[in-house]
Amino acid sequence: MSPRGPSRRRFTEMLGFRLGFVLSMALLPVGLLAVLQARSLMTEARARSEAALVGETLRATQPELRLIRQGQGAAEALASVAPILVPAATSDPAGCDSVMAKAVASSDIYSYAAFLALDGRVLCASDRAVMPPVDAGRIASLDLPLILTRTGAGEDAAGLAAVHPAFSADGRPVGFTLINMPHTRLRAAAATMAAHKDNFALILFDTNGRILSANRQSGEATALLPANRSLVSLTAGDAFTFTGDDTS
């Protein structure tokens, strides 16, 4: 028999070993509970941090989102008087244009307003000398409440148009109302509504990953996009936070 066998048996039969073993088994649940509590506290702290960041983001977006909703409300309001605009477009085109001009004058963020027929023809416009900032013939097929716009050169060239379907008194679709909001005007108005934070970049984009608006110049906004995530991947699911490098 090996000389270590009896020694090993005698050690395990010692009272100190038995007490230590019993105490370790008794304290094991307490240790496991402490680990689980620590993990739970870390998860809760991370969730609170992410919620705070999401809340800060939502607060930062409020001014610009409010302005965009304002434009959508203006387009809807114009669409609500379509039963009046349709005959006026033929019998009193100057009066119909005046309605659009007054809509543009009601807010500094608007640059153009129009009432378009289903085929894209301009029935009324705030400025007849200006072409619609979108392909008017494609509005019906796009079926979007917001459309990216471009009017050529100049600081108001790129923007966002709020579009709303218009119906006759008997419910027939008769066209669309459109309100154009240049990015520069949206940025200026949003900066007036809320203090601008130099270290906070706000970028609004659609489900296709196209940038709709940003509180930075277009080139600077593109450089601030995440390098390891596409904008399309960020549109799935609920609000969340992540860390990563930008593309600059």
Side-chain angles (χ1 to χ4, degrees), residues 116-209:
L116 308 173
L118 292 173
D119 59 5
R121 288 180 297 110
V122 177
L123 301 178
C124 311
S126 57
D127 188 346
R128 289 279 184 173
V130 176
M131 294 293 294
V134 298
D135 184 353
R138 297 183 61 236
I139 288 180
S141 61
L142 290 175
D143 191 25
L144 295 172
L146 292 169
I147 301 176
L148 289 173
T149 62
R150 182 161 291 278
T151 57
E155 62 176 11
D156 287 348
L160 199 60
V163 179
H164 199 282
F167 300 90
S168 64
D170 57 4
R172 292 180 298 104
V174 293
F176 304 90
T177 52
L178 178 148
I179 294 279
N180 190 47
M181 299 169 284
H183 290 322
T184 52
R185 300 192 185 192
L186 284 172
R187 282 197 297 267
T192 301
M193 293 172 64
H196 177 70
K197 297 181 179 179
D198 292 334
N199 62 342
F200 196 98
L202 170 64
I203 300 174
L204 302 180
F205 55 93
D206 62 17
T207 54
N208 295 318

Side-chain angles (χ1 to χ4, degrees), residues 233-240:
S233 69
L234 302 180
T235 61
D238 298 326
F240 66 97

Side-chain angles (χ1 to χ4, degrees), residues 26-27 37 44 54 100 158 184 206 213 215 220 232:
L27 294 175
Q37 287 180 332
E44 183 179 353
V54 170
M100 299 298 151
T184 52
D206 62 17
S213 184
N215 66 348
E220 185 181 355
V232 175

Side-chain angles (χ1 to χ4, degrees), residues 23-36:
L23 286 174
S24 63
M25 294 302 295
L27 294 175
L28 180 61
V30 177
L32 290 176
L33 181 61
V35 172
L36 292 176

